[in-house]
Amino acid sequence: MCHLQLRTLLFVAWVLGYIAFLLATRKMWTGKYVRSPLARSLFMNMIGESEEAGQETQEWYKCSPDLLGEVVRPLFVQSHLDQDTQAFLRRSIEKSGWMFTQFYHSFISTVLSPLVSRTSINGFLGRGSMFVFSADQLQQLLRIAPEWRGERLLDLGAGDGGVTEVMGAHFREVYATEVSPPMKWHLQRKKYRLLGIDEWQHTGFQYDLISCLNLLDRCDDPLELLRGIHRSLVPSTGRLILAAVLPFQPWVEIGGKWQRPREHIKVKGKKWEEQVTNLSNEVFREVGFEVEAVTRLPYLCEGDMYKDYYVLDDAVFVLKPVEE
């Protein structure tokens, strides 16, 4: 009995020590990610005014057209901080302030991280939702009206289905793939038709739109993936919407460890515009695609107790298959 009580006391002490450590290391002042109610209120007011957004949010969409190649330059679509993006940021800021929830998430993540992937942990906790583009930004890229409807959408690596929902509003049938079991539960709850990671190419039908969002740099065979997408699109009218984090840094998570992919895409250039040009003129052409539109957008993710949100730099392409 004494031994059991000792173990219980040690566990409680460990939990309390862990919480104390989190409190001690929490970033109270990190530029825009301040935690005081006044600063939080000021920032939320700032992002509420698109035309007067902070310098950082303006940089998310900035492009120097002169640095783009001649073929790509006229295809660039300028995007801006819009209402849907602002709403996502507000929700992220609000959720990051739920202290007991954030402690719980941090504790569970620490316990489970040696056993399962970060994606599955987020799916289990119902956190880490992503934002790639708004409904208006999608319509601008695809050049479609709000009432436009297509037949089939396939979202590869759909996560919790947050971005799938934005695209799915325009399609009668919505299909998705995902490897994380908790994320699959979220997709099934939203009534999307789940396909196996090798099943989507062998359904007997083709898709009007396939999305491959921030998957190319986390795939073991990215060029083969693009060739499979090419074969699976409706000829002539089918489109691929592809988002890639730049600078392009491919890593694959296998068994909880990160390693280089078997098939490596080398993207040339240091600047965002240079890598966009290289992807357009060499990588996509190699597998039978040409660029129809491209824009620069922030790849946003809900934050935690340290940051209100996380942001990566995305290039979002609309690609059409070229028949040889």
PDB file of all heavy atoms in Angstrom, residues 30-34 43 46-47 50 52-62 80-81 85 89 93 296-300 307-313:
ATOM      1  N   THR A  30       6.059  37.927 -27.077  1.00  0.00           N
ATOM      2  CA  THR A  30       6.799  37.543 -28.280  1.00  0.00           C
ATOM      3  C   THR A  30       6.234  38.337 -29.443  1.00  0.00           C
ATOM      4  O   THR A  30       5.506  37.829 -30.279  1.00  0.00           O
ATOM      5  CB  THR A  30       6.660  36.039 -28.577  1.00  0.00           C
ATOM      6  OG1 THR A  30       5.262  35.719 -28.630  1.00  0.00           O
ATOM      7  CG2 THR A  30       7.329  35.205 -27.518  1.00  0.00           C
ATOM      8  N   GLY A  31       6.543  39.607 -29.479  1.00  0.00           N
ATOM      9  CA  GLY A  31       6.049  40.444 -30.567  1.00  0.00           C
ATOM     10  C   GLY A  31       4.546  40.489 -30.556  1.00  0.00           C
ATOM     11  O   GLY A  31       3.908  40.910 -29.608  1.00  0.00           O
ATOM     12  N   LYS A  32       3.951  40.001 -31.655  1.00  0.00           N
ATOM     13  CA  LYS A  32       2.516  40.046 -31.822  1.00  0.00           C
ATOM     14  C   LYS A  32       1.812  39.005 -30.973  1.00  0.00           C
ATOM     15  O   LYS A  32       0.617  39.098 -30.714  1.00  0.00           O
ATOM     16  CB  LYS A  32       2.203  39.836 -33.310  1.00  0.00           C
ATOM     17  CG  LYS A  32       0.767  40.011 -33.673  1.00  0.00           C
ATOM     18  CD  LYS A  32       0.616  40.280 -35.143  1.00  0.00           C
ATOM     19  CE  LYS A  32       1.316  39.263 -36.003  1.00  0.00           C
ATOM     20  NZ  LYS A  32       0.982  37.896 -35.699  1.00  0.00           N
ATOM     21  N   TYR A  33       2.532  37.993 -30.498  1.00  0.00           N
ATOM     22  CA  TYR A  33       1.888  36.920 -29.768  1.00  0.00           C
ATOM     23  C   TYR A  33       1.837  37.211 -28.263  1.00  0.00           C
ATOM     24  O   TYR A  33       2.029  36.339 -27.445  1.00  0.00           O
ATOM     25  CB  TYR A  33       2.636  35.599 -30.001  1.00  0.00           C
ATOM     26  CG  TYR A  33       2.659  35.203 -31.439  1.00  0.00           C
ATOM     27  CD1 TYR A  33       3.828  35.254 -32.178  1.00  0.00           C
ATOM     28  CD2 TYR A  33       1.492  34.795 -32.067  1.00  0.00           C
ATOM     29  CE1 TYR A  33       3.829  34.897 -33.509  1.00  0.00           C
ATOM     30  CE2 TYR A  33       1.497  34.438 -33.400  1.00  0.00           C
ATOM     31  CZ  TYR A  33       2.666  34.491 -34.107  1.00  0.00           C
ATOM     32  OH  TYR A  33       2.673  34.137 -35.417  1.00  0.00           O
ATOM     33  N   VAL A  34       1.595  38.452 -27.899  1.00  0.00           N
ATOM     34  CA  VAL A  34       1.525  38.815 -26.493  1.00  0.00           C
ATOM     35  C   VAL A  34       0.282  38.221 -25.863  1.00  0.00           C
ATOM     36  O   VAL A  34      -0.708  37.951 -26.530  1.00  0.00           O
ATOM     37  CB  VAL A  34       1.514  40.350 -26.348  1.00  0.00           C
ATOM     38  CG1 VAL A  34       2.856  40.926 -26.713  1.00  0.00           C
ATOM     39  CG2 VAL A  34       0.434  40.973 -27.219  1.00  0.00           C
ATOM     40  N   PHE A  43      -4.429  43.637 -31.048  1.00  0.00           N
ATOM     41  CA  PHE A  43      -4.079  42.854 -32.231  1.00  0.00           C
ATOM     42  C   PHE A  43      -5.327  42.386 -32.971  1.00  0.00           C
ATOM     43  O   PHE A  43      -5.378  42.408 -34.198  1.00  0.00           O
ATOM     44  CB  PHE A  43      -3.224  41.654 -31.847  1.00  0.00           C
ATOM     45  CG  PHE A  43      -2.903  40.768 -33.016  1.00  0.00           C
ATOM     46  CD1 PHE A  43      -2.187  41.252 -34.081  1.00  0.00           C
ATOM     47  CD2 PHE A  43      -3.349  39.463 -33.051  1.00  0.00           C
ATOM     48  CE1 PHE A  43      -1.900  40.455 -35.169  1.00  0.00           C
ATOM     49  CE2 PHE A  43      -3.074  38.656 -34.131  1.00  0.00           C
ATOM     50  CZ  PHE A  43      -2.342  39.156 -35.184  1.00  0.00           C
ATOM     51  N   MET A  46      -6.524  45.054 -34.996  1.00  0.00           N
ATOM     52  CA  MET A  46      -5.658  45.292 -36.147  1.00  0.00           C
ATOM     53  C   MET A  46      -5.980  44.362 -37.295  1.00  0.00           C
ATOM     54  O   MET A  46      -6.135  44.796 -38.434  1.00  0.00           O
ATOM     55  CB  MET A  46      -4.191  45.117 -35.749  1.00  0.00           C
ATOM     56  CG  MET A  46      -3.212  45.359 -36.895  1.00  0.00           C
ATOM     57  SD  MET A  46      -1.556  44.801 -36.506  1.00  0.00           S
ATOM     58  CE  MET A  46      -1.757  43.032 -36.629  1.00  0.00           C
ATOM     59  N   ILE A  47      -6.146  43.050 -37.008  1.00  0.00           N
ATOM     60  CA  ILE A  47      -6.394  42.111 -38.093  1.00  0.00           C
ATOM     61  C   ILE A  47      -7.822  42.236 -38.602  1.00  0.00           C
ATOM     62  O   ILE A  47      -8.155  41.709 -39.658  1.00  0.00           O
ATOM     63  CB  ILE A  47      -6.123  40.652 -37.674  1.00  0.00           C
ATOM     64  CG1 ILE A  47      -7.113  40.195 -36.613  1.00  0.00           C
ATOM     65  CG2 ILE A  47      -4.698  40.473 -37.230  1.00  0.00           C
ATOM     66  CD1 ILE A  47      -7.049  38.710 -36.349  1.00  0.00           C
ATOM     67  N   SER A  50      -8.666  44.975 -42.863  1.00  0.00           N
ATOM     68  CA  SER A  50      -7.828  44.389 -43.900  1.00  0.00           C
ATOM     69  C   SER A  50      -6.862  45.400 -44.507  1.00  0.00           C
ATOM     70  O   SER A  50      -5.708  45.092 -44.769  1.00  0.00           O
ATOM     71  CB  SER A  50      -8.705  43.772 -44.983  1.00  0.00           C
ATOM     72  OG  SER A  50      -7.928  43.234 -46.008  1.00  0.00           O
ATOM     73  N   GLU A  52      -5.538  47.969 -43.201  1.00  0.00           N
ATOM     74  CA  GLU A  52      -4.529  48.488 -42.292  1.00  0.00           C
ATOM     75  C   GLU A  52      -3.915  47.354 -41.485  1.00  0.00           C
ATOM     76  O   GLU A  52      -3.530  47.517 -40.325  1.00  0.00           O
ATOM     77  CB  GLU A  52      -5.159  49.536 -41.357  1.00  0.00           C
ATOM     78  CG  GLU A  52      -5.730  50.723 -42.121  1.00  0.00           C
ATOM     79  CD  GLU A  52      -6.384  51.739 -41.196  1.00  0.00           C
ATOM     80  OE1 GLU A  52      -6.254  51.563 -39.956  1.00  0.00           O
ATOM     81  OE2 GLU A  52      -6.998  52.684 -41.684  1.00  0.00           O
ATOM     82  N   ALA A  53      -3.860  46.193 -42.077  1.00  0.00           N
ATOM     83  CA  ALA A  53      -3.295  45.038 -41.378  1.00  0.00           C
ATOM     84  C   ALA A  53      -1.825  45.270 -41.096  1.00  0.00           C
ATOM     85  O   ALA A  53      -1.157  46.050 -41.756  1.00  0.00           O
ATOM     86  CB  ALA A  53      -3.473  43.786 -42.230  1.00  0.00           C
ATOM     87  N   GLY A  54      -1.323  44.567 -40.084  1.00  0.00           N
ATOM     88  CA  GLY A  54       0.069  44.744 -39.688  1.00  0.00           C
ATOM     89  C   GLY A  54       1.031  44.358 -40.794  1.00  0.00           C
ATOM     90  O   GLY A  54       0.687  43.685 -41.751  1.00  0.00           O
ATOM     91  N   GLN A  55       2.256  44.791 -40.631  1.00  0.00           N
ATOM     92  CA  GLN A  55       3.272  44.561 -41.650  1.00  0.00           C
ATOM     93  C   GLN A  55       3.472  43.075 -41.921  1.00  0.00           C
ATOM     94  O   GLN A  55       3.663  42.668 -43.058  1.00  0.00           O
ATOM     95  CB  GLN A  55       4.591  45.200 -41.218  1.00  0.00           C
ATOM     96  CG  GLN A  55       5.697  45.059 -42.260  1.00  0.00           C
ATOM     97  CD  GLN A  55       6.963  45.762 -41.838  1.00  0.00           C
ATOM     98  OE1 GLN A  55       7.021  46.393 -40.778  1.00  0.00           O
ATOM     99  NE2 GLN A  55       7.991  45.669 -42.662  1.00  0.00           N
ATOM    100  N   GLU A  56       3.403  42.262 -40.877  1.00  0.00           N
ATOM    101  CA  GLU A  56       3.630  40.826 -41.082  1.00  0.00           C
ATOM    102  C   GLU A  56       2.562  40.221 -41.977  1.00  0.00           C
ATOM    103  O   GLU A  56       2.866  39.453 -42.888  1.00  0.00           O
ATOM    104  CB  GLU A  56       3.653  40.082 -39.750  1.00  0.00           C
ATOM    105  CG  GLU A  56       3.895  38.590 -39.931  1.00  0.00           C
ATOM    106  CD  GLU A  56       3.876  37.830 -38.626  1.00  0.00           C
ATOM    107  OE1 GLU A  56       3.767  38.451 -37.556  1.00  0.00           O
ATOM    108  OE2 GLU A  56       3.975  36.589 -38.680  1.00  0.00           O
ATOM    109  N   THR A  57       1.292  40.545 -41.722  1.00  0.00           N
ATOM    110  CA  THR A  57       0.224  39.973 -42.531  1.00  0.00           C
ATOM    111  C   THR A  57       0.308  40.444 -43.969  1.00  0.00           C
ATOM    112  O   THR A  57      -0.066  39.715 -44.891  1.00  0.00           O
ATOM    113  CB  THR A  57      -1.152  40.308 -41.942  1.00  0.00           C
ATOM    114  OG1 THR A  57      -1.290  41.729 -41.811  1.00  0.00           O
ATOM    115  CG2 THR A  57      -1.331  39.672 -40.579  1.00  0.00           C
ATOM    116  N   GLN A  58       0.793  41.651 -44.209  1.00  0.00           N
ATOM    117  CA  GLN A  58       0.975  42.115 -45.581  1.00  0.00           C
ATOM    118  C   GLN A  58       2.061  41.313 -46.291  1.00  0.00           C
ATOM    119  O   GLN A  58       1.947  41.028 -47.489  1.00  0.00           O
ATOM    120  CB  GLN A  58       1.328  43.611 -45.581  1.00  0.00           C
ATOM    121  CG  GLN A  58       0.199  44.509 -45.105  1.00  0.00           C
ATOM    122  CD  GLN A  58       0.581  45.980 -45.130  1.00  0.00           C
ATOM    123  OE1 GLN A  58       1.468  46.389 -45.868  1.00  0.00           O
ATOM    124  NE2 GLN A  58      -0.078  46.774 -44.307  1.00  0.00           N
ATOM    125  N   GLU A  59       3.102  40.935 -45.552  1.00  0.00           N
ATOM    126  CA  GLU A  59       4.193  40.159 -46.143  1.00  0.00           C
ATOM    127  C   GLU A  59       3.724  38.782 -46.586  1.00  0.00           C
ATOM    128  O   GLU A  59       4.321  38.181 -47.482  1.00  0.00           O
ATOM    129  CB  GLU A  59       5.342  40.015 -45.137  1.00  0.00           C
ATOM    130  CG  GLU A  59       6.085  41.304 -44.852  1.00  0.00           C
ATOM    131  CD  GLU A  59       6.853  41.806 -46.065  1.00  0.00           C
ATOM    132  OE1 GLU A  59       7.410  40.968 -46.796  1.00  0.00           O
ATOM    133  OE2 GLU A  59       6.878  43.026 -46.286  1.00  0.00           O
ATOM    134  N   TRP A  60       2.670  38.256 -45.977  1.00  0.00           N
ATOM    135  CA  TRP A  60       2.169  36.930 -46.335  1.00  0.00           C
ATOM    136  C   TRP A  60       1.784  36.844 -47.805  1.00  0.00           C
ATOM    137  O   TRP A  60       1.829  35.764 -48.395  1.00  0.00           O
ATOM    138  CB  TRP A  60       0.941  36.588 -45.497  1.00  0.00           C
ATOM    139  CG  TRP A  60       1.215  36.371 -44.047  1.00  0.00           C
ATOM    140  CD1 TRP A  60       2.434  36.213 -43.449  1.00  0.00           C
ATOM    141  CD2 TRP A  60       0.247  36.281 -42.998  1.00  0.00           C
ATOM    142  NE1 TRP A  60       2.284  36.036 -42.101  1.00  0.00           N
ATOM    143  CE2 TRP A  60       0.952  36.072 -41.799  1.00  0.00           C
ATOM    144  CE3 TRP A  60      -1.139  36.361 -42.970  1.00  0.00           C
ATOM    145  CZ2 TRP A  60       0.304  35.927 -40.568  1.00  0.00           C
ATOM    146  CZ3 TRP A  60      -1.782  36.229 -41.744  1.00  0.00           C
ATOM    147  CH2 TRP A  60      -1.068  36.010 -40.568  1.00  0.00           C
ATOM    148  N   TYR A  61       1.387  37.949 -48.402  1.00  0.00           N
ATOM    149  CA  TYR A  61       0.828  37.946 -49.755  1.00  0.00           C
ATOM    150  C   TYR A  61       1.741  38.648 -50.768  1.00  0.00           C
ATOM    151  O   TYR A  61       1.384  38.772 -51.932  1.00  0.00           O
ATOM    152  CB  TYR A  61      -0.541  38.642 -49.747  1.00  0.00           C
ATOM    153  CG  TYR A  61      -1.502  38.052 -48.745  1.00  0.00           C
ATOM    154  CD1 TYR A  61      -1.607  38.573 -47.456  1.00  0.00           C
ATOM    155  CD2 TYR A  61      -2.293  36.951 -49.063  1.00  0.00           C
ATOM    156  CE1 TYR A  61      -2.476  38.025 -46.519  1.00  0.00           C
ATOM    157  CE2 TYR A  61      -3.165  36.396 -48.143  1.00  0.00           C
ATOM    158  CZ  TYR A  61      -3.251  36.937 -46.864  1.00  0.00           C
ATOM    159  OH  TYR A  61      -4.112  36.386 -45.951  1.00  0.00           O
ATOM    160  N   LYS A  62       2.882  39.085 -50.330  1.00  0.00           N
ATOM    161  CA  LYS A  62       3.746  39.921 -51.156  1.00  0.00           C
ATOM    162  C   LYS A  62       4.478  39.112 -52.217  1.00  0.00           C
ATOM    163  O   LYS A  62       5.014  38.038 -51.947  1.00  0.00           O
ATOM    164  CB  LYS A  62       4.763  40.649 -50.274  1.00  0.00           C
ATOM    165  CG  LYS A  62       5.611  41.663 -51.016  1.00  0.00           C
ATOM    166  CD  LYS A  62       6.539  42.389 -50.044  1.00  0.00           C
ATOM    167  CE  LYS A  62       7.415  43.401 -50.757  1.00  0.00           C
ATOM    168  NZ  LYS A  62       8.329  44.102 -49.815  1.00  0.00           N
ATOM    169  N   HIS A  80      -5.162  38.750 -50.786  1.00  0.00           N
ATOM    170  CA  HIS A  80      -5.143  39.693 -49.677  1.00  0.00           C
ATOM    171  C   HIS A  80      -5.723  39.039 -48.433  1.00  0.00           C
ATOM    172  O   HIS A  80      -6.411  38.012 -48.503  1.00  0.00           O
ATOM    173  CB  HIS A  80      -5.952  40.956 -50.024  1.00  0.00           C
ATOM    174  CG  HIS A  80      -5.515  41.638 -51.274  1.00  0.00           C
ATOM    175  ND1 HIS A  80      -4.455  42.530 -51.314  1.00  0.00           N
ATOM    176  CD2 HIS A  80      -5.997  41.560 -52.552  1.00  0.00           C
ATOM    177  CE1 HIS A  80      -4.298  42.970 -52.552  1.00  0.00           C
ATOM    178  NE2 HIS A  80      -5.219  42.399 -53.317  1.00  0.00           N
ATOM    179  N   LEU A  81      -5.470  39.653 -47.303  1.00  0.00           N
ATOM    180  CA  LEU A  81      -6.084  39.228 -46.045  1.00  0.00           C
ATOM    181  C   LEU A  81      -7.581  39.521 -46.117  1.00  0.00           C
ATOM    182  O   LEU A  81      -7.982  40.673 -46.213  1.00  0.00           O
ATOM    183  CB  LEU A  81      -5.450  39.992 -44.878  1.00  0.00           C
ATOM    184  CG  LEU A  81      -5.936  39.630 -43.474  1.00  0.00           C
ATOM    185  CD1 LEU A  81      -5.415  38.269 -43.049  1.00  0.00           C
ATOM    186  CD2 LEU A  81      -5.498  40.694 -42.466  1.00  0.00           C
ATOM    187  N   THR A  85     -10.078  34.670 -43.542  1.00  0.00           N
ATOM    188  CA  THR A  85      -8.762  34.522 -42.923  1.00  0.00           C
ATOM    189  C   THR A  85      -8.732  35.214 -41.568  1.00  0.00           C
ATOM    190  O   THR A  85      -8.203  34.679 -40.589  1.00  0.00           O
ATOM    191  CB  THR A  85      -7.663  35.094 -43.829  1.00  0.00           C
ATOM    192  OG1 THR A  85      -7.821  34.595 -45.163  1.00  0.00           O
ATOM    193  CG2 THR A  85      -6.284  34.717 -43.315  1.00  0.00           C
ATOM    194  N   LEU A  89      -8.007  33.575 -37.780  1.00  0.00           N
ATOM    195  CA  LEU A  89      -7.026  34.119 -36.852  1.00  0.00           C
ATOM    196  C   LEU A  89      -7.673  34.453 -35.505  1.00  0.00           C
ATOM    197  O   LEU A  89      -7.098  34.183 -34.452  1.00  0.00           O
ATOM    198  CB  LEU A  89      -6.373  35.368 -37.450  1.00  0.00           C
ATOM    199  CG  LEU A  89      -5.462  35.136 -38.666  1.00  0.00           C
ATOM    200  CD1 LEU A  89      -5.038  36.465 -39.268  1.00  0.00           C
ATOM    201  CD2 LEU A  89      -4.240  34.312 -38.281  1.00  0.00           C
ATOM    202  N   ILE A  93      -6.633  32.807 -31.927  1.00  0.00           N
ATOM    203  CA  ILE A  93      -6.212  33.642 -30.800  1.00  0.00           C
ATOM    204  C   ILE A  93      -7.054  33.334 -29.570  1.00  0.00           C
ATOM    205  O   ILE A  93      -6.542  33.200 -28.453  1.00  0.00           O
ATOM    206  CB  ILE A  93      -6.314  35.131 -31.183  1.00  0.00           C
ATOM    207  CG1 ILE A  93      -5.267  35.481 -32.254  1.00  0.00           C
ATOM    208  CG2 ILE A  93      -6.108  36.018 -29.959  1.00  0.00           C
ATOM    209  CD1 ILE A  93      -5.459  36.834 -32.883  1.00  0.00           C
ATOM    210  N   ARG A 296       0.251  33.671 -53.776  1.00  0.00           N
ATOM    211  CA  ARG A 296       1.003  33.499 -52.529  1.00  0.00           C
ATOM    212  C   ARG A 296       0.038  33.653 -51.364  1.00  0.00           C
ATOM    213  O   ARG A 296      -0.682  34.655 -51.254  1.00  0.00           O
ATOM    214  CB  ARG A 296       2.112  34.548 -52.419  1.00  0.00           C
ATOM    215  CG  ARG A 296       3.034  34.352 -51.220  1.00  0.00           C
ATOM    216  CD  ARG A 296       4.208  35.310 -51.281  1.00  0.00           C
ATOM    217  NE  ARG A 296       5.210  34.970 -50.281  1.00  0.00           N
ATOM    218  CZ  ARG A 296       6.441  35.498 -50.253  1.00  0.00           C
ATOM    219  NH1 ARG A 296       6.796  36.382 -51.177  1.00  0.00           N
ATOM    220  NH2 ARG A 296       7.302  35.145 -49.323  1.00  0.00           N
ATOM    221  N   LEU A 297       0.006  32.652 -50.491  1.00  0.00           N
ATOM    222  CA  LEU A 297      -0.908  32.640 -49.357  1.00  0.00           C
ATOM    223  C   LEU A 297      -0.190  32.119 -48.107  1.00  0.00           C
ATOM    224  O   LEU A 297       0.740  31.325 -48.219  1.00  0.00           O
ATOM    225  CB  LEU A 297      -2.113  31.735 -49.638  1.00  0.00           C
ATOM    226  CG  LEU A 297      -3.134  32.207 -50.674  1.00  0.00           C
ATOM    227  CD1 LEU A 297      -4.143  31.106 -50.964  1.00  0.00           C
ATOM    228  CD2 LEU A 297      -3.854  33.461 -50.190  1.00  0.00           C
ATOM    229  N   PRO A 298      -0.631  32.532 -46.935  1.00  0.00           N
ATOM    230  CA  PRO A 298      -0.098  31.941 -45.707  1.00  0.00           C
ATOM    231  C   PRO A 298      -0.770  30.603 -45.427  1.00  0.00           C
ATOM    232  O   PRO A 298      -1.982  30.455 -45.604  1.00  0.00           O
ATOM    233  CB  PRO A 298      -0.478  32.969 -44.632  1.00  0.00           C
ATOM    234  CG  PRO A 298      -1.740  33.587 -45.156  1.00  0.00           C
ATOM    235  CD  PRO A 298      -1.586  33.625 -46.663  1.00  0.00           C
ATOM    236  N   TYR A 299       0.025  29.629 -45.025  1.00  0.00           N
ATOM    237  CA  TYR A 299      -0.488  28.335 -44.590  1.00  0.00           C
ATOM    238  C   TYR A 299      -0.590  28.418 -43.074  1.00  0.00           C
ATOM    239  O   TYR A 299       0.416  28.349 -42.362  1.00  0.00           O
ATOM    240  CB  TYR A 299       0.466  27.239 -45.051  1.00  0.00           C
ATOM    241  CG  TYR A 299       0.147  25.836 -44.603  1.00  0.00           C
ATOM    242  CD1 TYR A 299      -1.147  25.432 -44.345  1.00  0.00           C
ATOM    243  CD2 TYR A 299       1.169  24.897 -44.453  1.00  0.00           C
ATOM    244  CE1 TYR A 299      -1.435  24.134 -43.942  1.00  0.00           C
ATOM    245  CE2 TYR A 299       0.902  23.596 -44.059  1.00  0.00           C
ATOM    246  CZ  TYR A 299      -0.402  23.221 -43.792  1.00  0.00           C
ATOM    247  OH  TYR A 299      -0.679  21.942 -43.391  1.00  0.00           O
ATOM    248  N   LEU A 300      -1.811  28.598 -42.573  1.00  0.00           N
ATOM    249  CA  LEU A 300      -2.036  28.884 -41.160  1.00  0.00           C
ATOM    250  C   LEU A 300      -2.444  27.633 -40.402  1.00  0.00           C
ATOM    251  O   LEU A 300      -3.168  26.786 -40.923  1.00  0.00           O
ATOM    252  CB  LEU A 300      -3.127  29.947 -41.007  1.00  0.00           C
ATOM    253  CG  LEU A 300      -2.809  31.316 -41.631  1.00  0.00           C
ATOM    254  CD1 LEU A 300      -4.063  32.173 -41.694  1.00  0.00           C
ATOM    255  CD2 LEU A 300      -1.716  32.019 -40.837  1.00  0.00           C
ATOM    256  N   LYS A 307       2.101  30.081 -28.905  1.00  0.00           N
ATOM    257  CA  LYS A 307       1.779  31.014 -29.984  1.00  0.00           C
ATOM    258  C   LYS A 307       0.300  30.911 -30.318  1.00  0.00           C
ATOM    259  O   LYS A 307      -0.288  29.833 -30.243  1.00  0.00           O
ATOM    260  CB  LYS A 307       2.616  30.717 -31.234  1.00  0.00           C
ATOM    261  CG  LYS A 307       4.062  31.188 -31.146  1.00  0.00           C
ATOM    262  CD  LYS A 307       4.734  31.103 -32.506  1.00  0.00           C
ATOM    263  CE  LYS A 307       6.135  31.690 -32.468  1.00  0.00           C
ATOM    264  NZ  LYS A 307       6.775  31.678 -33.815  1.00  0.00           N
ATOM    265  N   ASP A 308      -0.266  32.044 -30.724  1.00  0.00           N
ATOM    266  CA  ASP A 308      -1.680  32.060 -31.078  1.00  0.00           C
ATOM    267  C   ASP A 308      -1.942  31.275 -32.360  1.00  0.00           C
ATOM    268  O   ASP A 308      -3.002  30.677 -32.525  1.00  0.00           O
ATOM    269  CB  ASP A 308      -2.162  33.502 -31.259  1.00  0.00           C
ATOM    270  CG  ASP A 308      -2.177  34.256 -29.933  1.00  0.00           C
ATOM    271  OD1 ASP A 308      -2.492  33.633 -28.919  1.00  0.00           O
ATOM    272  OD2 ASP A 308      -1.870  35.458 -29.929  1.00  0.00           O
ATOM    273  N   TYR A 309      -0.993  31.296 -33.276  1.00  0.00           N
ATOM    274  CA  TYR A 309      -1.101  30.545 -34.518  1.00  0.00           C
ATOM    275  C   TYR A 309       0.297  30.380 -35.096  1.00  0.00           C
ATOM    276  O   TYR A 309       1.238  31.086 -34.719  1.00  0.00           O
ATOM    277  CB  TYR A 309      -2.026  31.242 -35.530  1.00  0.00           C
ATOM    278  CG  TYR A 309      -1.584  32.651 -35.881  1.00  0.00           C
ATOM    279  CD1 TYR A 309      -0.610  32.887 -36.859  1.00  0.00           C
ATOM    280  CD2 TYR A 309      -2.140  33.751 -35.235  1.00  0.00           C
ATOM    281  CE1 TYR A 309      -0.197  34.164 -37.176  1.00  0.00           C
ATOM    282  CE2 TYR A 309      -1.730  35.038 -35.548  1.00  0.00           C
ATOM    283  CZ  TYR A 309      -0.765  35.246 -36.510  1.00  0.00           C
ATOM    284  OH  TYR A 309      -0.352  36.524 -36.808  1.00  0.00           O
ATOM    285  N   TYR A 310       0.417  29.439 -36.014  1.00  0.00           N
ATOM    286  CA  TYR A 310       1.671  29.231 -36.724  1.00  0.00           C
ATOM    287  C   TYR A 310       1.429  29.492 -38.208  1.00  0.00           C
ATOM    288  O   TYR A 310       0.334  29.241 -38.717  1.00  0.00           O
ATOM    289  CB  TYR A 310       2.192  27.804 -36.505  1.00  0.00           C
ATOM    290  CG  TYR A 310       2.653  27.565 -35.084  1.00  0.00           C
ATOM    291  CD1 TYR A 310       1.758  27.119 -34.107  1.00  0.00           C
ATOM    292  CD2 TYR A 310       3.972  27.805 -34.711  1.00  0.00           C
ATOM    293  CE1 TYR A 310       2.171  26.911 -32.800  1.00  0.00           C
ATOM    294  CE2 TYR A 310       4.393  27.597 -33.404  1.00  0.00           C
ATOM    295  CZ  TYR A 310       3.491  27.154 -32.454  1.00  0.00           C
ATOM    296  OH  TYR A 310       3.904  26.969 -31.162  1.00  0.00           O
ATOM    297  N   VAL A 311       2.452  29.973 -38.889  1.00  0.00           N
ATOM    298  CA  VAL A 311       2.280  30.330 -40.297  1.00  0.00           C
ATOM    299  C   VAL A 311       3.503  29.895 -41.105  1.00  0.00           C
ATOM    300  O   VAL A 311       4.640  30.040 -40.662  1.00  0.00           O
ATOM    301  CB  VAL A 311       2.041  31.855 -40.448  1.00  0.00           C
ATOM    302  CG1 VAL A 311       3.195  32.661 -39.870  1.00  0.00           C
ATOM    303  CG2 VAL A 311       1.815  32.226 -41.911  1.00  0.00           C
ATOM    304  N   LEU A 312       3.237  29.307 -42.273  1.00  0.00           N
ATOM    305  CA  LEU A 312       4.269  28.968 -43.248  1.00  0.00           C
ATOM    306  C   LEU A 312       3.928  29.663 -44.563  1.00  0.00           C
ATOM    307  O   LEU A 312       2.796  30.101 -44.782  1.00  0.00           O
ATOM    308  CB  LEU A 312       4.348  27.447 -43.452  1.00  0.00           C
ATOM    309  CG  LEU A 312       4.814  26.632 -42.243  1.00  0.00           C
ATOM    310  CD1 LEU A 312       4.655  25.138 -42.509  1.00  0.00           C
ATOM    311  CD2 LEU A 312       6.262  26.952 -41.897  1.00  0.00           C
ATOM    312  N   ASP A 313       4.901  29.747 -45.431  1.00  0.00           N
ATOM    313  CA  ASP A 313       4.763  30.477 -46.693  1.00  0.00           C
ATOM    314  C   ASP A 313       4.368  29.514 -47.809  1.00  0.00           C
ATOM    315  O   ASP A 313       5.130  28.617 -48.157  1.00  0.00           O
ATOM    316  CB  ASP A 313       6.098  31.157 -47.017  1.00  0.00           C
ATOM    317  CG  ASP A 313       5.932  32.325 -47.965  1.00  0.00           C
ATOM    318  OD1 ASP A 313       4.797  32.583 -48.392  1.00  0.00           O
ATOM    319  OD2 ASP A 313       6.943  32.971 -48.281  1.00  0.00           O
TER     320      ASP A 313
END
